[in-house]
Amino acid sequence: MSAQGGTKAIVAALGANLSIAVAKFVAFLFSGSSSMLAEAVHSVADSGNQGLLLLGGNRAKRAATEEHPFGYGRERYIYGFLVSIVLFSVGGMFAVYEGYEKVKHPHPLDDWYWPVGVLIFSIVAEGFSFRTAMKESNATRGSLSWMEFIRRAKAPELPVVLLEDFGALIGLALALAGVGLAIGTHNGVWDGIGTLCIGTLLIVIALVLAVETKSLLLGESASADQVAKIREAAVDGDSVTRIIHMRTQHLGPEELLVAAKIAVRHDDTAVEVAAAIDAAEARIREAVPIARVIYLEPDIYSEAAAAAGPDPEATPGGPGPTPAEH
C-alpha cells in the first residue's frame, strides 16, 4: 500500500469533514438537535484524526538515528492507535452522553429543515470521501474482501479512513432517521435515541481500530505470500541450500526486517560464504522490495541435529543446537 494513496484519501476525508463539521454546527444552533451536535463533534474528531494520520506519516519519514537505528516507520502505527482513542473518547462517549441527556430531557426540534438539509449534504460529501478511499484501497486490495483488507493491511491510513467514512455514513443515516422520527412524532426522544445509536457505532469502530493498530504496534510478520517469495529467493540450491529458520517483522508499513539462518556448504571458504550471503540478500530485495533490513547467519545444516536438538524454528538468537550438535 503506497503512502501516496493513503495521503490522497486522508486529504479528501479531511476536506469533507471540515466542511461537514461547520454545516452541522450551524444546523445544531438553529434546530437544537442533539443528533446534529453529536454528528458535528464526530466530524471535528474525524478531522483531528486525519490531522494525526498526516502528522504520523510525515514524522515516519525521518531518517534513522543512532538512538533509533531502524528508523521511525512505526510512528504511523502510533498515530493510527491515537486515532482510535480520539474516536472512542471524543466521538463515541460524547455522543452517548448527549443521547442520554436528550432521552432524559427531550424537547422538540426547531427549524427542522436545517438538520435535514445538512444531513443530506453531509451524506453526499462523506460519500465522495468514502469513494476516494475505496478507489485508493482497490489499487492494493487485490482479491481480498474488505474485512480481510482491513485486518491484513500493514499501512494504517486507508483502513482507518475506510472505517471512519463507513461509520460516518451509517451515523448520518441514523441521525436522519432520528431527526425524521422526532419531526413526524413531535417527540424529541427519537433524536436522543438516534444520538445514542451514533455513539454506540463510533465506540464499536474505535475498538476495531484499536485492536488492529495494537497488533501492528506489537510487530507483525510479513504476509504469507511475501514469506514464500523470501524463502524462494534466498535459496539458490548451490551456495545457499536451504533456510534453517527465519523471522520477519514490519519496522513500518513499507519496511521489512528479515532475519534468517541459512545453510551453506561445509567446504565453502569464508570468501565464498560472504559472497553467498550478499547474493542472497540481493535476490531477496529484488523479490520483496520492502525487505530493506536483512540479517543472514550462515550455518551447516544437519538433519540429525535438527531432529534431535531443540526446535529448529527457534527465534534467531534464542535456544538452538550447540556447536557440538552440528
Side-chain angles (χ1 to χ4, degrees), residues 124-138:
V124 173
E126 285 289 0
F128 169 76
S129 174
F130 190 48
R131 179 177 175 274
T132 302
M134 290 180 66
K135 182 179 179 181
E136 297 300 324
S137 299
N138 280 331

Side-chain angles (χ1 to χ4, degrees), residues 34 101 113:
S34 68
E101 287 295 318
Y113 42 83

Side-chain angles (χ1 to χ4, degrees), residues 256-292:
L256 190 66
L257 166 69
V258 178
K261 180 174 284 191
I262 59 174
V264 297
R265 299 189 180 280
H266 67 88
D267 55 351
D268 283 351
T269 65
V271 172
E272 290 172 331
V273 169
I277 291 174
D278 291 341
E281 289 180 355
R283 292 193 300 271
I284 291 172
R285 289 192 174 96
E286 183 178 359
V288 182
I290 67 169
R292 300 178 185 174

Side-chain angles (χ1 to χ4, degrees), residues 34-50:
S34 68
S35 291
M36 278 292 90
L37 179 58
E39 277 295 313
V41 173
H42 175 196
S43 294
V44 170
D46 281 353
S47 299
N49 289 340
Q50 273 104 50

Side-chain angles (χ1 to χ4, degrees), residues 20 34 89 102 110 132 140 146 153 157 210 288 295:
I20 290 171
S34 68
S89 57
K102 190 59 180 284
D110 302 319
T132 302
T140 54
W146 285 108
E157 291 84 2
V288 182
Y295 296 107

Side-chain angles (χ1 to χ4, degrees), residues 242 244 300-312 320-326:
R242 67 181 298 154
I244 300 174
I300 307 300
Y301 180 74
S302 166
E303 291 187 3
D311 181 7
T322 64
E325 292 176 305
H326 290 289

Side-chain angles (χ1 to χ4, degrees), residues 54-307:
L54 289 172
L55 178 61
N58 184 63
R59 291 181 61 83
K61 295 176 182 177
R62 291 179 294 167
T65 63
E66 185 175 347
E67 186 177 0
H68 297 92
F70 292 116
Y72 294 84
R74 285 194 180 180
E75 286 228 34
R76 289 166 69 180
Y77 300 150
I78 294 173
Y79 282 88
F81 188 74
L82 289 176
V83 163
S84 67
I85 296 174
V86 172
L87 192 63
F88 178 87
S89 57
V90 179
M93 296 304 292
F94 178 82
V96 168
Y97 171 77
E98 275 297 312
Y100 171 78
E101 287 295 318
K102 190 59 180 284
V103 170
K104 190 175 180 182
H105 306 290
H107 63 78
L109 298 181
D110 302 319
D111 299 325
W112 59 267
Y113 42 83
W114 277 98
V116 171
V118 167
L119 285 172
I120 293 174
F121 163 75
S122 300
I123 289 173
V124 173
E126 285 289 0
F128 169 76
S129 174
F130 190 48
R131 179 177 175 274
T132 302
M134 290 180 66
K135 182 179 179 181
E136 297 300 324
S137 299
N138 280 331
T140 54
R141 184 169 66 94
S143 61
L144 296 175
S145 68
W146 285 108
M147 184 58 66
E148 289 174 331
F149 173 73
I150 289 171
R151 296 210 51 158
R152 297 185 186 182
K154 304 304 181 184
E157 291 84 2
L158 285 177
V160 167
V161 174
L162 281 168
L163 283 175
E164 278 189 351
D165 287 348
F166 177 75
L169 286 170
I170 300 299
L172 288 167
L174 291 171
L176 191 60
V179 169
L181 287 170
I183 294 169
T185 62
H186 302 286
N187 187 347
V189 168
W190 288 107
D191 187 32
I193 292 174
T195 308
L196 282 171
C197 292
I198 293 168
T200 303
L201 173 69
L202 294 178
I203 289 172
V204 170
I205 291 176
L207 291 176
V208 171
L209 282 176
V211 169
E212 294 305 318
T213 51
K214 176 190 173 184
S215 178
L216 291 169
L217 272 172
L218 290 175
E220 289 190 355
S221 65
S223 67
D225 180 61
Q226 289 172 328
V227 170
K229 288 181 179 179
I230 291 171
R231 287 184 176 276
E232 183 178 357
V235 178
D236 63 358
D238 182 20
S239 56
V240 178
T241 59
R242 67 181 298 154
I243 290 181
I244 300 174
H245 60 71
M246 179 175 71
R247 293 291 183 268
T248 63
Q249 187 173 88
H250 272 271
L251 301 175
E254 291 148 9
E255 186 170 15
L256 190 66
L257 166 69
V258 178
K261 180 174 284 191
I262 59 174
V264 297
R265 299 189 180 280
H266 67 88
D267 55 351
D268 283 351
T269 65
V271 172
E272 290 172 331
V273 169
I277 291 174
D278 291 341
E281 289 180 355
R283 292 193 300 271
I284 291 172
R285 289 192 174 96
E286 183 178 359
V288 182
I290 67 169
R292 300 178 185 174
V293 182
I294 303 175
Y295 296 107
L296 300 181
E297 177 187 354
D299 205 343
I300 307 300
Y301 180 74
S302 166
E303 291 187 3

